Amino acid sequence: MDVHDRLVVGGIEFKSRLIVGSGKYKDFIETQKATEASGADVITVAVRRVNVLDRTKENLLDYINPKVYKILPNTAGCYTVQDAIRTAHLARAAGISDMVKLEVIGDEKTLFPDTAGLLEAAKILVKEGFIVLPYTNDDPVVAKRLEEIGCAAVMPLAAPIGSGLGIRNPYNIRIILETVRVPVIVDAGVGTASDATIAMELGCHGVLMNTGIAGAKDPIRMAEAMKYAVIAGRQAYLAGRIPKKLYATASSPIEGMIE
Amino acid sequence: MKIVLNGAAREVTESTTISSLLEEVGINPDRVAVEVNLQIIDRHDLKSTFFKEGDQVEVIGFVGGGIL
């Protein structure tokens, strides 16, 4: 693998093109093992109230060492611009970096982003010096606007969060790739390894997933599968696939056939 | 006096600082952010910030979560 082929977002170099979430695991040990197996060095985390009543309660960061992993706080669960900004501020105050995975959710049932709110929140956070990675629709126009505002990447959904439906609109993803110059990271909807490979073969610069790994019967094994799927897709993209043809083309020479 | 800590009423004394409150509840201040009445308190001010009656205090940290 080409060691120089690294994903760089907002000046920060990622060691893997796979970014993982930290939710939905059975326990912190499983979170830790799956994260390790995924080969990812960026892990996204939610921002929530700390349990102040139970002193024995363990902390995610006891298992995911912020010195080893880059912690990407998200504004998951925020339905308003105001909440998303407040959450981003708290994350920065608690955290390690200025990166934020910005989510402004517009609908409870589909968890589709409120792109109007997203643009508004992104604008404010970019001005405040955040490295903004917005979770957005597979809409090339919105992607373009997010880039213009100064987002460090755009993260279009492949399918609804947690749905596992895969890349539902590869054509829009391709148009987004042709429209923006910042990295395009598919965020949400990946169900299995081939989905991740397809995203990478399209030319996406990275894939972010959580449920696809954590919800598998064997999350640690799936994490490893995703690691290779992302590498395979990236390599295939760089290698350049053969054109599709209707008829056969022999791969052995005709010359020297036994008569 | 009474404050509200992460949504629950709590009694603190006049000499309680944010730092001492965090210690009392067993929280490592390096991994959290503290907000009092919607204002984020700078990490360096945790030891010198006292409470006043009715303060709304939020202590937040990172938990497992990907995308909601």
Side-chain angles (χ1 to χ4, degrees):
Chain A
M1 216 178 30
D2 182 359
V3 290
H4 302 293
D5 178 42
R6 287 278 171 86
L7 171 59
V8 179
V9 177
I12 299 169
E13 193 177 286
F14 293 9
K15 290 192 185 110
S16 166
R17 290 178 180 275
L18 173 60
I19 303 169
V20 292
S22 52
K24 294 191 175 174
Y25 288 103
K26 147 180 119 208
D27 51 34
F28 286 144
I29 294 280
E30 193 181 70
T31 314
Q32 185 182 51
K33 285 188 173 161
T35 307
E36 264 173 38
S38 76
D41 79 324
V42 180
I43 179 166
T44 183
V45 299
V47 178
R48 294 289 182 271
R49 278 174 171 168
V50 170
N51 189 332
V52 290
L53 301 172
D54 181 4
R55 292 190 60 149
T56 61
K57 191 116 180 175
E58 289 182 296
N59 187 304
L60 173 68
L61 299 187
D62 294 332
Y63 291 84
I64 301 292
N65 184 351
K67 290 196 176 99
V68 177
Y69 294 97
K70 296 180 183 77
I71 306 294
L72 173 60
N74 61 56
T75 64
C78 292
Y79 281 81
T80 65
V81 172
Q82 201 184 2
D83 279 353
I85 287 173
R86 183 182 176 198
T87 303
H89 286 167
L90 285 165
R92 178 150 77 173
I96 298 99
S97 88
D98 293 332
M99 281 199 295
V100 64
K101 169 164 141 57
L102 181 63
E103 299 182 27
V104 182
I105 304 297
D107 172 53
E108 266 180 61
K109 201 168 173 182
T110 58
L111 298 178
F112 281 143
D114 169 356
T115 49
L118 182 69
L119 286 165
E120 197 182 327
K123 204 172 206 169
I124 295 165
L125 292 172
V126 166
K127 263 192 197 144
E128 291 176 351
F130 280 88
I131 298 167
V132 180
L133 291 82
Y135 158 70
T136 182
N137 248 318
D138 56 1
D139 178 339
V141 177
V142 174
K144 185 74 195 154
R145 296 282 175 273
L146 288 165
E147 180 183 49
E148 284 165 0
I149 281 169
C151 291
V154 290
M155 304 212 292
L157 55 85
I161 291 168
S163 69
L165 287 171
I167 316 289
R168 291 204 307 183
N169 197 339
Y171 304 102
N172 270 30
I173 300 290
R174 273 176 59 186
I175 297 171
I176 291 173
L177 284 161
E178 286 181 14
T179 307
V180 301
R181 299 173 77 172
V182 292
V184 177
I185 299 165
V186 159
D187 181 1
V190 168
T192 187
S194 53
D195 295 336
T197 305
I198 288 169
M200 296 308 293
E201 283 173 350
L202 285 170
C204 290
H205 303 89
V207 179
L208 190 154
M209 65 182 80
N210 191 158
T211 311
I213 294 173
K217 274 188 199 151
D218 182 345
I220 297 158
R221 193 180 287 264
M222 186 58 93
E224 194 180 13
M226 292 300 184
K227 168 183 166 176
Y228 293 122
V230 168
I231 292 170
R234 177 67 182 172
Q235 290 290 75
Y237 168 74
L238 292 175
R241 62 153 299 148
I242 61 159
K244 290 180 183 175
K245 285 188 292 189
L246 194 55
Y247 292 101
T249 311
S251 52
S252 315
I254 301 294
E255 210 177 304
M257 287 282 292
I258 306 161
E259 283 175 35
Chain B
M1 74 183 108
K2 268 208 176 76
I3 61 165
V4 179
L5 175 62
N6 284 3
R10 192 180 181 96
E11 198 67 38
V12 295
T13 66
E14 276 173 17
S15 61
T16 308
T17 62
I18 295 177
S19 177
S20 66
L21 178 67
L22 291 178
E23 199 176 327
E24 200 183 309
V25 294
I27 288 168
N28 178 352
D30 295 339
R31 289 181 177 173
V32 296
V34 182
E35 196 189 65
V36 179
N37 304 327
L38 297 177
Q39 286 288 336
I40 292 173
I41 308 299
D42 192 285
R43 199 172 286 286
H44 304 101
D45 297 333
L46 296 181
K47 280 194 174 130
S48 55
T49 306
F50 298 89
F51 296 103
K52 44 182 205 312
E53 182 75 33
D55 272 347
Q56 298 279 334
V57 183
E58 295 287 343
V59 179
I60 75 94
F62 298 130
V63 301
I67 18 192
L68 184 80

